[in-house]
Amino acid sequence: MPSPVPEPALKRSTLLALCACVLVAQSLVAAVNLLIPQLSSSSLHPSHTEILWTVDAYVIVFAGLLVPAGALGDRYGRKGALLCGLALLGAGAGLSALAEGPAALIAGRGVSGAGAALITPATLSLVLHLAGPERRAQAMASWTLAIGLGGLAGNLGGGLAGEFFSWRALFGVMVPLAALLALAVAVTTPRTGRSPHAALDPLGTLLLTSGLVAVLFGIIEGPVHGWTSARILGAFAAGGLLVAAFTAHSLRSPAPLFDPRVFAARRLRAATLGTATGFFGLFSFFYVNSQYLQEVQGYGPALTGLAIVPLTVGMALVPKLAARWSARPRPVIGGGLALIGLGLLGVSTADAGTPYGVYACWMLVLSAGTGLCMPPLTLGVVASLPPGRAGLGSGLGAAAREVGAALGVAVTGTVLGSHAGLAEGMAPALRTVGLLVLGSTAVVLAGHRAARPAVRRTKSRPAEAGRDL
């Protein structure tokens, strides 16, 4: 038999193009938050519920489609999936920019979210395939940095658009930007080998996607409707039943979307929990930060976006250290998550009299923790599946990030809602999240102890059985 053709090497231009794509996709998660006041007073006259759906539609569709989108790229081509994702992102942004009513605005956000679901796993899978084992840790650090910078870029872009331009400008600029990124990808990024054995499993995809959407709806809308309301309890019940049905179907199917038994690997469970925990803490901070700086410190939208720039320092510098220590992930992950928890506890002490320099120092702690733990956690999730299913693995990791982010916003919003205002509720909200992060860190570290025996493989599914990392 002829030897397999090796994958092309990862060039710097390719890595930059892929990181730029995921940065833009991630930026649209947070950018709209700073435009809520302008949207509320716009000619669209959206209701409170329509404003919430304008923010949430992107996240729900994005997170709900990540796993099947990753499998789609594995099966039919990762570069093609990425280009399709950029086209959807731009088309959805164009629809939102030209919206004449709230329904069109929300629909555009959903279409863009579907594009982001294709972009995120495809970029990570391409990075892993092209980097090779010797450069994988460094490339992973760059990709993780792009994820973090996406949140910062969203805050900055939303703030600038809210103060100097209009909400339509934010969406409008995404159309040519998506076209430029597609051109960069077409020129710089080679095609990688497909995985013809990757299953799309239409029924399993429908069950899992519907279950994730139901759970995310419950998480995001819980603070609005009340956690014990019939709507929210019904959403969680439906989500649980659909995920259970997906699990039962996958265990019986000869070609499932993925075999749920991969989660028998303790370190995979720990890496998934750690990924969700990191974004749980980070997006809790994002949720409070803009409100604190504008309502308590009196900053304008543009200055609020600039004030978060210190978060880039740790995210830019620390991942290089994480890459050097990639052979010992347990202390790196534990130290990073602990710093996120401690940073949240530090930010919880801020009030109207806190100097910005002190506040920025706590942001540096948060950013150092994120930069330290996210590369090994992301690699831990992706490496749990065979190389041919890297897109699916990156989709699982991305889904964990988005669920964790939604939970962080929901928990923080719930605690804030139980107090008279932000000034009174910020400290208990961030203390609650910080302590939860530290508690979850202990569980994650327990899962990264000595490896347990790998799950026994069966003849019917040799490629899907989980393995400890």
Side-chain angles (χ1 to χ4, degrees), residues 42-468:
S42 71
S43 60
L44 300 184
H45 304 296
S47 66
H48 176 67
T49 300
E50 288 168 336
I51 286 288
L52 289 177
W53 275 105
T54 299
V55 175
D56 297 342
Y58 185 90
V59 178
I60 289 177
V61 176
F62 181 16
L65 292 178
L66 276 166
V67 175
L72 190 71
D74 288 336
R75 178 67 180 270
Y76 293 109
R78 300 169 184 93
K79 182 177 179 179
L82 174 54
L83 291 173
C84 288
L86 289 168
L88 284 174
L89 187 81
L95 179 59
S96 295
L98 299 174
E100 296 297 329
L105 177 62
I106 294 167
R109 288 281 288 167
V111 172
S112 291
L118 284 165
I119 291 168
T120 302
T123 53
L124 180 54
S125 184
L126 284 164
V127 166
L128 291 173
H129 275 81
L130 297 175
E134 68 284 351
R135 296 181 59 199
R136 187 166 292 164
Q138 289 288 350
M140 181 66 66
S142 298
W143 187 89
T144 306
L145 171 62
I147 286 281
L149 292 180
L152 306 181
N155 278 276
L156 181 58
L160 292 173
E163 184 151 341
F164 300 113
F165 304 101
S166 73
W167 62 269
R168 293 185 188 274
L170 176 70
F171 296 118
V173 76
M174 289 295 166
V175 179
L177 182 56
L180 286 174
L181 289 174
L183 178 62
V185 169
V187 171
T188 66
T189 306
R191 296 188 181 276
T192 59
R194 302 178 185 182
S195 179
H197 302 295
L200 296 182
D201 186 13
L203 178 58
T205 297
L206 178 63
L207 290 171
L208 181 61
T209 301
S210 301
L212 284 174
V213 167
V215 170
L216 282 166
F217 174 85
I219 291 172
I220 292 171
E221 299 291 323
V224 179
H225 299 287
W227 293 103
T228 58
S229 67
R231 177 179 298 187
I232 300 305
L233 292 177
F236 284 133
L241 289 173
L242 288 166
V243 171
F246 165 78
T247 302
H249 163 76
S250 298
L251 292 174
R252 293 193 305 268
S253 173
L257 181 65
F258 73 93
D259 190 339
R261 283 174 287 196
V262 296
F263 288 104
R266 181 171 59 188
R267 290 194 177 182
L268 170 59
R269 296 197 304 270
T272 304
L273 175 62
T275 301
T277 298
F279 273 71
F280 173 76
L282 191 61
F283 271 74
S284 172
F285 170 74
F286 282 151
Y287 181 75
V288 168
N289 172 70
S290 61
Q291 298 180 69
Y292 167 74
L293 291 176
Q294 292 184 86
E295 297 178 20
V296 178
Q297 295 288 4
Y299 290 11
L303 187 56
T304 297
L306 289 170
I308 202 174
V309 167
L311 269 178
T312 63
V313 177
M315 291 182 184
L317 301 179
V318 177
K320 296 180 180 179
L321 297 177
R324 292 179 185 176
W325 301 331
S326 59
R328 298 178 60 84
R330 189 168 185 259
V332 176
I333 291 170
L337 290 177
L339 284 175
I340 292 174
L342 293 174
L344 289 168
L345 294 178
V347 174
S348 72
T349 63
D351 56 25
T354 300
Y356 173 74
V358 174
Y359 188 75
C361 286
W362 288 119
M363 281 196 281
L364 289 174
V365 174
L366 274 166
S367 69
T370 304
L372 195 61
C373 68
M374 281 303 152
L377 284 170
T378 303
L379 184 59
V381 175
V382 174
S384 64
L385 293 175
R389 308 304 304 275
L392 175 60
S394 60
L396 288 172
R401 285 194 297 271
E402 298 308 318
V403 170
L407 275 171
V409 172
V411 170
T412 306
T414 299
V415 178
L416 284 175
S418 65
H419 292 78
L422 179 73
E424 293 78 15
M426 177 175 166
L430 290 181
R431 277 200 301 268
T432 299
V433 174
L435 292 173
L436 287 172
V437 168
L438 292 175
S440 182
T441 300
V443 178
V444 172
L445 288 177
H448 277 84
R449 288 182 301 191
R452 301 173 72 179
V455 176
R456 186 170 61 187
R457 301 187 178 191
T458 64
K459 291 184 179 180
S460 60
R461 297 180 194 171
E464 291 293 328
R467 61 176 184 268
D468 243 332

